Amino acid sequence: MRTFLLAMSCALVALVPAALPAADEGYESIFDGKSLNGWDGNPDFWRVEDGAITGETTEAKPTQGNTFLIWRGGDVADFDLKVEFKIHNHNSGVQYRSFEVPDQKWVVGGYQADIDATGKYMGLLYGEKFRGMLAKRGERTMIGANHKPEVVGSVGDPDDLLKKVNLDDWNEYQITAEGFHFVQRINGVVMSEMTDDDTEQRRASGIVALQLHQGPPMKVQFRNLRLRRLSAQANAAPAPGAQPAAEIKKIAFVAGKPSHGFGSHEHRAGCLLLADALNRSGLPVKAEVYAYGWPESPSVLDDAATIVCYADGGVKHPFNDHLAEVDRLAKQGKGIACLHYAVEIPKGESGDAMLRWTGGYFETDWSVNPHWTADYSQFPQHPISRGVKPFSINDEWYYHMRFRAGLEGVQPILTTLPPSETLSRKDGPHSGNPAVRAAIARGELQHMAWASERPGGGRGFGFTGGHFHWNWGHNDFRKLVLNAIVWTAGLDVPAGGVPSRTLNAADLVANQDEPVPNGFDPEAIESMVEEWNRPGE
């Protein structure tokens, strides 16, 4: 039906504005299809032709510098804008949340959705007179205090994305800006995405304008311009495929007490890092951290979509004295995720509950907790794996976990074969037992992270790494856990995984409960993190 309406609009648009399809309910037309009423630009270059706003320069009449046609309908903040465009030569774009340059008539700066006839710049997000390139086609970026974009993920191969664009005909640009998250789509396909965490330079609102670029003669046309203003309360925009921004999902972190000294089992600091990444991700989430064990007011968990426990386990596990409460929350469909020592809980009533909630747990005299370097070269086709590249890292990787019988409803996420050296200790509640020794001798693969779905609804996740606080600085290690948390909250994980900025030594030292010891070398941590995250590694 939509194809038919668009085809008909080509014949009728010169007479009246095309009727908006049902999918465009809530949008206002900002171009009447026959005049430039409400628009302001140099009349030497802008006109209406064949029902379309048309900008054109010629050899005889070039523009000295980029010039713009400005919509005078007022500033826009959070919005969704749809614009059909056709470019005949050279370069153009759609400006949004932009500003007029003082003392320069019809000159604009700000965020720009780029258009060009060759495809080189098509779909990218550019900062006209405003920090330059912000996100190339195919990139998901984040801008921080240094005012420069950092690539934190991918929305697709740039060459494949360009194939979705008809360079010789009409296309539709869709630009979504909510909070400080921006998504640019062409013909319904995400071309680029950016989260602007640059609190000094980012723009919360501004004008809409159309660009005519200086240089060789060119012609660009725009039609069916439709604007939908979004709620000012929606401060976080969803990544492609995620829930609407209005449905903000609360993520509750239950962080345990200090226990292992500086740089290890830093539960509060680790939760704060993960929560900060989630809150900056642009996803419709609100992450909150409740430190030092079970919350004093457990009602704070009632509106959570998922509960993440990162704490000492065993007899010290925060859930032990609250099994009925956690079970009630799980039966409501809330996610339950446990990190590192929090996957260990006493067998019996607690262990049986953990099997129901997450699908597996560390059982004493069955599971083991050696320190070793695990290589993860392959991942299953699962949302938690999205955007995660193979990685190798030393940690206290527990294995030979107790899972539901037959792994019912359980999907292993991190799997490898631990070396025999991991069983060099004598048998003990955590160090070894005949069953695990036989399993490794047989070459049985072991699972260090897993996802589960409960028959009555709700998702679980277990992750045995996380002993060393520095490991949160590994982008893929961290991304996998962020993906899992988002998944347990019932959200779709973005195609390139949950974006987050690369951390440095200062980030990792911040908020630790233990004092920084004498002789601590932050440069060594910085070098290790840089080595982990070096492009191509």
Side-chain angles (χ1 to χ4, degrees), residues 250-270:
K250 177 178 173 179
I251 295 170
F253 285 86
V254 176
K257 299 176 182 178
S259 65
H260 279 58
F262 181 75
S264 298
H265 286 230
E266 285 287 354
H267 305 123
R268 174 175 167 271

Side-chain angles (χ1 to χ4, degrees), residues 224-240:
N224 288 342
L225 290 88
R226 294 144 288 159
L227 177 70
R228 179 166 63 94
R229 299 176 190 271
L230 304 178
S231 169
Q233 296 177 346
N235 294 319

Side-chain angles (χ1 to χ4, degrees), residues 4-5 12 61 107 121 130 136 212 279 304 337 418 438 440-441 449 508:
F4 172 75
L5 287 172
L12 298 176
K61 191 181 290 185
V107 178
Y121 304 109
F130 181 60
K136 296 180 181 178
L212 194 60
N279 288 332
I440 297 304
L508 293 165

Side-chain angles (χ1 to χ4, degrees), residues 188-421:
V189 179
V190 176
M191 295 285 151
S192 56
E193 185 176 346
M194 190 264 286
T195 299
D196 199 341
D197 256 349
D198 180 358
T199 57
E200 291 184 9
Q201 296 188 2
R202 66 189 185 184
R203 294 184 56 79
S205 65
I207 60 175
V208 170
L210 308 174
Q211 184 195 61
L212 194 60
H213 209 287
Q214 68 176 341
M218 67 164 295
K219 181 179 180 181
V220 63
Q221 294 182 289
F222 302 92
R223 69 185 187 192
N224 288 342
L225 290 88
R226 294 144 288 159
L227 177 70
R228 179 166 63 94
R229 299 176 190 271
L230 304 178
S231 169
Q233 296 177 346
N235 294 319
Q243 297 289 328
E247 299 181 22
I248 302 297
K249 301 283 190 177
K250 177 178 173 179
I251 295 170
F253 285 86
V254 176
K257 299 176 182 178
S259 65
H260 279 58
F262 181 75
S264 298
H265 286 230
E266 285 287 354
H267 305 123
R268 174 175 167 271
C271 287
L272 287 170
L273 283 176
L274 295 171
D276 181 66
L278 290 165
N279 288 332
R280 291 170 178 262
S281 70
L283 293 169
V285 298
K286 178 184 179 182
E288 297 183 354
V289 177
Y290 305 101
Y292 308 132
W294 189 255
E296 290 186 11
S297 176
S299 63
V300 297
L301 304 178
D302 288 343
D303 61 346
T306 191
I307 300 163
V308 183
C309 184
Y310 186 26
D312 281 359
V315 296
K316 299 178 182 179
H317 202 294
F319 288 175
N320 279 328
D321 295 330
H322 305 279
L323 295 179
E325 293 170 73
V326 179
D327 207 47
R328 175 181 62 82
L329 296 170
K331 287 177 179 177
Q332 293 174 359
K334 300 183 188 299
I336 305 290
C338 292
L339 310 180
H340 196 50
Y341 198 175
V343 301
E344 180 183 333
I345 204 163
K347 52 188 167 186
E349 185 181 9
S350 293
D352 292 344
M354 190 69 85
L355 286 177
R356 292 195 304 273
W357 301 333
T358 71
Y361 75 102
F362 184 110
E363 181 182 295
T364 53
D365 296 307
W366 177 261
S367 308
V368 291
N369 66 345
H371 287 254
W372 55 292
T373 299
D375 293 304
Y376 301 114
S377 58
Q378 294 182 323
F379 308 104
Q381 291 295 317
H382 191 279
I384 292 175
S385 306
R386 289 176 184 166
V388 180
K389 301 185 295 293
F391 65 95
S392 174
I393 197 166
N394 184 272
D395 208 321
E396 186 182 19
W397 291 109
Y398 310 157
Y399 67 85
H400 202 241
M401 310 302 287
R402 177 66 73 185
F403 291 109
R404 294 176 190 160
L407 289 175
E408 182 179 0
V410 176
Q411 170 63 63
I413 300 295
L414 290 182
T415 299
T416 192
L417 179 63
S420 58
E421 293 78 22

Side-chain angles (χ1 to χ4, degrees), residues 128 279 309 437 498:
E128 176 88 3
N279 288 332
C309 184
R437 294 184 189 281
V498 176

